[in-house]
Amino acid sequence: MALPNIQTLADCADFSKTVEPFIPQLLDLPQQVYQAISSPQALGNLYLSTNPLISAFAFSLVLAPVFLVASEINKNYSQVDRFWSILPTAFNAHYVIWAHMVDLPTHRLDSLLAFSTIWTARLTYNYWRKGGYSIGSEDYRWEILQKKYIGPVLFFVFNVIFISLAQSILLFSITMPTYILLLTSKFMGGNMLPLDIAFSQGLTGVVLLAAIADQQQWNFQTAKHQYRETAKIPSNVRDQFTPEDLDRGFLTKGMWAYSRHPNFAAEQSTWVGLYIWSCYVTKSPYNWTGFGAVAYLILFQASTWFTELITGKKYPEYSEYQKKVGMFVPGPFSLLSGGFNAQAAAKIKEQKSQ
């Protein structure tokens, strides 16, 4: 039996009914895969007879030692980063493919996979153009964390527990609401509800907002590097940036005048939105898959704090920007004043110092 025996929509969000009965499958799965490995047909039958949440979780566990070994051999700890934009959609695609193979209604799941694919395309493209897939490319924060804060021994432990294992599980966990949506398929028939369409389109819109924020940052960083090399503002952005903007070193215009990390805000909203979608469909105020969304929020809080710790030491004016603009959610100052104005903030700071 691959799916739970559920009678109501509320049952779809019940951990004791939809997950606990299948935990023994996880324990037996390694042996079953070993026995079926030589037969594609046997592997296909095993795939269909295994609960899709269990097989997805098992795959995330298998990836962890792969990431660990690759990172330690190459001494490059951005192995998970290279798959960050791909794995969530791979997990979502797994649920959708499984549902198709067992003849469940998939209209809701198909629309979810469409938005997830757009999310992957946006994040993968942005990571690629910043050189993330280049040989030797690594998140600069890992080197700083290892050399300045915790040392090589603790960093290895950190790699085992967090970078390789926890992050792999996290990328699985943010897609757990898709499992709930899969379970609700038996109750929805062949139609999507209006709010299903609203969730799908709304999440796609959030991804597009993230893409706009990405492009604004890309335009600024490209102009900044060219300006430092030539002492001239590129002609295509002369109406967007002043010498003061580029000398400052960090972006404070566009969406970045209202949020210090609008792309991160949209990123978190995407997966929290998927969780809320699962709550809406099951008519429950919360469910167990919220673990993934909460863990994602905690990760972004911690990683952004560390990023800003580094940024604040690099750019003297960044502390003033932090006071005026919210990390993710626009604060009262930026909303009421029409966004952060670096020149005005500099004048106020100068007047206070006199």
Side-chain angles (χ1 to χ4, degrees):
M1 182 178 67
L3 288 181
N5 182 20
I6 48 179
Q7 304 300 323
T8 66
L9 283 172
D11 287 346
C12 298
D14 189 332
F15 183 87
S16 65
K17 294 180 179 179
T18 61
V19 180
E20 284 185 4
F22 302 99
I23 292 177
Q25 285 190 348
L26 179 65
L27 303 178
D28 294 338
L29 197 56
Q31 181 180 359
Q32 292 184 7
V33 171
Y34 176 76
Q35 292 173 347
I37 196 69
S38 60
S39 171
Q41 182 177 357
L43 284 174
N45 292 335
L46 178 61
Y47 178 72
L48 291 178
S49 62
T50 303
N51 177 273
L53 181 78
I54 295 300
S55 54
F57 180 57
F59 183 63
S60 73
L61 294 179
V62 168
L63 288 176
V66 176
F67 290 140
L68 176 64
V69 172
S71 64
E72 290 297 334
I73 289 176
N74 294 286
K75 294 303 176 183
N76 185 312
Y77 301 96
S78 284
Q79 306 303 320
V80 178
D81 297 343
R82 291 174 169 82
F83 291 88
W84 192 276
S85 63
I86 299 170
L87 285 176
T89 294
F91 287 121
N92 282 333
H94 152 68
Y95 291 119
V96 176
I97 292 170
W98 195 92
H100 275 280
M101 293 178 71
V102 298
D103 295 324
L104 286 173
T106 60
H107 295 78
R108 181 182 286 144
L109 293 173
D110 291 340
S111 68
L112 186 157
L113 183 58
F115 110 76
S116 186
T117 302
I118 295 172
W119 175 85
T120 285
R122 165 249 155 186
L123 196 56
T124 302
Y125 171 69
N126 198 53
Y127 188 68
W128 166 79
R129 69 175 172 177
K130 293 191 296 184
Y133 293 109
S134 301
I135 297 176
S137 174
E138 183 184 35
D139 187 332
Y140 68 94
R141 293 172 298 182
W142 295 141
E143 182 178 5
I144 294 174
L145 180 65
Q146 180 179 14
K147 292 184 177 180
K148 292 188 176 182
Y149 291 95
I150 63 176
V153 175
L154 285 179
F155 189 80
F156 174 75
V157 176
F158 181 74
N159 186 18
V160 172
I161 297 174
F162 176 74
I163 299 179
S164 299
L165 177 60
Q167 288 193 126
S168 181
I169 295 174
L170 176 63
L171 294 176
F172 150 78
S173 68
I174 59 176
T175 67
M176 291 189 301
T178 307
Y179 173 63
I180 289 184
L181 295 181
L182 181 152
L183 295 177
T184 64
S185 296
K186 65 176 291 185
F187 299 102
M188 70 172 289
N191 299 316
M192 285 183 63
L193 299 175
L195 273 176
D196 287 322
I197 299 173
F199 270 109
S200 177
Q201 294 180 348
L203 291 173
T204 302
V206 170
V207 174
L208 294 178
L209 287 176
I212 292 172
D214 288 340
Q215 189 61 44
Q216 290 177 348
Q217 185 66 248
W218 176 262
N219 291 344
F220 176 79
Q221 294 297 335
T222 301
K224 182 179 75 173
H225 290 299
Q226 292 182 14
Y227 175 71
R228 289 180 174 177
E229 292 177 0
T230 65
K232 295 180 180 179
I233 300 177
S235 57
N236 63 318
V237 293
R238 284 176 184 168
D239 60 336
Q240 299 179 39
F241 307 121
T242 65
E244 290 79 10
D245 292 327
L246 301 178
D247 285 331
R248 188 179 308 108
F250 57 91
L251 180 59
T252 62
K253 291 185 173 180
M255 296 176 70
W256 303 78
Y258 298 90
S259 168
R260 301 201 302 272
H261 304 278
N263 52 348
F264 290 175
E267 176 73 13
Q268 295 169 85
S269 299
T270 299
W271 300 107
V272 171
L274 177 60
Y275 164 66
I276 295 173
W277 191 356
S278 73
C279 292
Y280 157 73
V281 169
T282 56
K283 304 184 186 306
S284 56
Y286 58 88
N287 63 59
W288 58 272
T289 66
F291 163 79
V294 171
Y296 208 63
L297 294 177
I298 293 173
L299 172 67
F300 269 84
Q301 288 288 338
S303 65
T304 306
W305 171 83
F306 186 55
T307 298
E308 291 200 331
L309 180 66
I310 299 169
T311 304
K313 294 178 180 180
K314 187 176 181 181
Y315 302 114
E317 296 178 64
Y318 198 78
S319 59
E320 192 66 25
Y321 179 55
Q322 288 176 301
K323 294 177 184 178
K324 303 294 185 182
V325 179
M327 180 182 287
F328 302 123
V329 180
F333 173 85
S334 57
L335 288 174
L336 295 174
S337 63
F340 181 76
N341 186 309
Q343 285 74 25
K347 289 181 180 178
I348 295 173
K349 185 177 181 180
E350 183 179 351
Q351 292 172 358
K352 289 182 178 179
S353 63
Q354 290 178 351

